Each structure stands twice: as structure tokens, then as C-alpha cells.
Amino acid sequence: MQNLKLGVQIGNLYLKNPVMPASGAFGYEMESLFDFNDLGAIVPKSITKYPRGGNATPRVCEITGGMINSIGIQSKGLAYYLEELIPNYQKYDTPLIASISADSVDEFAEMAEIIGRESTVSGIELNISCPNLEGDGNAFGMDAELSYQVVKKAREATDQPLIAKLTPNVTSIQEIALACESAGVDGLNVANTILAMAIDIHTRKPKIGNVLGGMSGPAIKPIIVRMIHQVRGVTNLPIIGCGGVMTWEDAIEMILAGASAVQVGTSSFINPMAMMEILEGIKEYMIAYEIEDIRDLIGKVELPIQENEGVRIAY
Ligand SMILES: Cc1cc2nc3c(=O)[nH]c(=O)nc-3n(C[C@H](O)[C@H](O)[C@H](O)COP(=O)(O)O)c2cc1C
């Protein structure tokens, strides 16, 4: 099969293929390893308005099936991002999705407006998994009303395609997805890390300086697949699956659950070529199953019974 169609849409944002880095797991240094033109999108680490030092160390620890991190959005600030970082990506024919983290609803809107003016930026990912410092410190994305407000104000501030990166640390991810949809988001990232803790039994101290951190890697994939499926059940918005994509098989699984694209985080720390290998594997799968267009796979999980509305709990 010669003409494999790998392109997918997130609102007005066209991705030539469905594989991109997860924010925080991508760096310009990777340039020497593969051609960034081969990615579906470039997603650098979340940027904050002002420079930030990050959380107490240790900031990462390995666990069975993945890792826990609590970097705390270490950031050189918006001015550095605009002057030094964004211009670097200009030479690539790959859309740049800027991930933004903010401390308040208004700061999200302000940053979306400023970054939205950059001609090199093709989309904005709102990292609503970060704590709301003006409120109770919980993530914006844990609260449907706050999620709505962040998206709504960012929507008013820019015409750029907007993606809301949801937190999985909620009871009903569908509720948050719907709030973001009604506020005018173009796509949903499902999802960020899962709140976790690990203790060193010899020192009796938490393995993360900040005590709690976010768990990523293969162990969280089934949870993320479940959430993609649940979100797909309530909205037709394009979904980017993120959490535990280590191989091309994981990417296909998320696409079948309802994702239009996937992001790769932890896997790239282990194997910096992971994204390229995942892309090759997707192509081989499509050839093997004679699927010309990747879009024919999105949400094509074959369920044993017709689902009723809402959550089906089948143990
Ligand atoms: C070291 C590290 C740093 C991260 N930094 C960010 C970040 O700045 N912004 C963000 O939205 N997510 C961040 N994440 C979360 C990832 O983008 C991703 O959502 C998560 O790791 C799940 O995907 P994975 O299992 O493929 O790693 C970070 C994850 C790790 C491991």
C-alpha cells in the first residue's frame, strides 16, 4: 500500500501524523537523533509567565511500571521562551504546540494572547493540570467550572487552536471534558500524570522531595485508555491520548479507544528514538490490516455490547 494517509485534525490544526512528544519529555537536543519534520507536532515543556526554579529534590523516582515526577514546572519564563526557544523551531515544517501553565485564569488568558500572536506557534495546549494558586491549590482541571473559565478566557484571548490537557485525578473526566467543550476548546489531551507517592522503606522518607508526584509510564496506560473511551463517549472533540504510550501497539490501542493522536513522554526518556519507532509501527500495522487512512481507526474499538449512556462498569 503506497499512499498511507496518516494526517489527522485537531480543530483547524493539521498534523501530518498522529505522533508527538508529551510536554516535559522533549528537548531541542533530540535534533541530533531524528528529523523533527517527521513528528506530527512539536510540544515543548510547559512555559510559565515568570521564571520558576521547580520543586524540592529528588524530583523523580522510578517505580514498577513507570516513574513518579514532581518537577514543578521548572521554567525560564515567557520572555525567554519567546526570544530564545520559539525561533529555534521556525525552520521545521511541523506545527509547534506551545504548552502553557499559569497560576490563575487571567494569567492563562494573558499568556494565550501573547503566545497566540507568534506566527511560529500553531496551537496552544492549556496545562490545566497545574495548581490554581489563587484558589485552593488543587489543579484547575479538577474543577469543571474552573476548567470552563480557563478555556473560555483563553478562547476569547486568541484564535489559535486550543487543546485542554486534562488531569486524570478526577472522579468524572467526562464532566471536565464537557466543560472544556462548552467553553470552546478544539481538542482534549487525555491526560496528564496520576497523583502518586512512594516511600523508601530504609530511610522511611518519601522518594519525592515534594512528597507527592505524578505517575507516568506503562502502568498508567490502561487507566488512560479507559478515560479516552469515556471521553469519546460524551464528545466528538478530537482527543490526544497521553500516558503510557511506550510502543506502537499502545498508540494503536489509544486510537482504537478514540484518540486522534498520541503523545509520548516516559518512553522517550528510555529510548529517545521511541517516537520514530512508534510511527513506523503504526505504518506497518496499517499496511498489515490494509488500512489506508488512520482516521478509519479512530474510536473503532469493537465493544461486546451496545453501551448505555454514561459509564459502564463491567467487572
Ligand atoms: C519529567 C516529566 C516532566 C513533565 N513535565 C510536564 C510539563 O511541563 N507539562 C505537562 O503538561 N506535562 C508534563 N509532564 C507530563 C507528561 O507530558 C505526560 O502527560 C505524562 O508523563 C504521561 O505520559 P507518559 O506516560 O507517556 O510519560 C511531565 C512528565 C514527566 C515524566
Side-chain angles (χ1 to χ4, degrees), residues 22 32 161 164 215:
S32 59
M215 182 171 155

Side-chain angles (χ1 to χ4, degrees), residues 19-280:
V19 181
M20 66 184 96
S23 178
F26 176 79
Y28 200 74
E29 322 76 64
M30 287 169 139
E31 194 197 22
S32 59
L33 297 170
F34 59 86
D35 186 353
F36 290 172
N37 289 308
D38 293 337
L39 291 169
I42 292 169
V43 191
K45 183 157 180 67
S46 295
I47 190 75
T48 55
K49 188 174 170 192
Y50 302 109
R52 275 208 337 211
N55 286 338
T57 55
R59 293 176 179 174
V60 290
C61 78
E62 208 170 311
I63 46 146
T64 312
M67 63 191 271
I68 300 177
N69 91 83
S70 178
I71 309 289
I73 316 288
Q74 185 177 5
S75 160
K76 291 187 171 165
L78 187 56
Y80 173 87
Y81 194 75
L82 296 173
E83 282 155 33
E84 306 287 333
L85 224 143
I86 291 186
N88 280 341
Y89 295 110
Q90 213 159 3
K91 60 177 186 274
Y92 298 107
D93 167 37
T94 299
L96 174 66
I97 300 178
S99 166
I100 61 177
S101 274
D103 293 339
S104 69
V105 170
D106 286 338
E107 196 176 273
F108 263 113
E110 189 190 343
M111 290 181 71
E113 209 232 310
I114 296 169
I115 287 188
R117 279 191 238 125
E118 295 295 310
S119 56
T120 30
V121 170
S122 302
I124 296 175
E125 187 171 87
L126 303 164
N127 179 8
I128 57 172
S129 323
C130 52
N132 169 20
L133 293 189
E134 278 187 349
D136 54 8
N138 277 334
F140 293 89
M142 289 179 181
D143 183 302
E145 175 56 29
L146 270 174
S147 302
Y148 175 87
Q149 282 179 27
V150 170
V151 175
K152 180 88 179 152
K153 282 221 164 176
R155 177 75 297 157
E156 284 161 9
T158 180
D159 291 332
Q160 290 273 4
L162 289 177
I163 298 157
K165 184 167 180 180
L166 307 186
T167 169
N169 303 308
V170 290
T171 311
S172 166
I173 192 121
Q174 301 96 309
E175 188 195 347
I176 311 294
L178 287 172
C180 293
E181 180 174 39
S182 57
V185 87
D186 297 290
L188 298 164
N189 180 328
V190 180
N192 211 312
T193 50
I194 292 174
L195 199 57
M197 179 175 175
I199 299 168
D200 181 326
I201 58 161
H202 302 292
T203 63
R204 301 189 182 185
K205 289 191 176 129
K207 288 188 174 174
I208 292 287
N210 203 36
V211 184
L212 307 184
M215 182 171 155
S216 62
I220 72 168
K221 189 196 67 178
I223 300 170
I224 300 298
V225 170
R226 181 261 292 177
M227 289 188 161
I228 294 169
H229 173 66
Q230 288 181 317
V231 171
R232 173 53 62 241
V234 296
T235 168
N236 285 322
L237 279 176
I239 296 168
I240 300 173
C242 177
V245 177
M246 309 302 284
T247 63
W248 62 265
E249 288 96 332
D250 300 329
I252 296 286
E253 191 180 349
M254 286 195 183
I255 292 169
L256 289 172
S260 297
V262 295
Q263 290 187 347
V264 181
T266 302
S267 189
S268 290
F269 289 117
I270 300 163
N271 168 19
M273 291 302 289
M275 286 184 285
M276 293 300 109
E277 291 169 17
I278 288 167
L279 185 56
E280 276 319 298

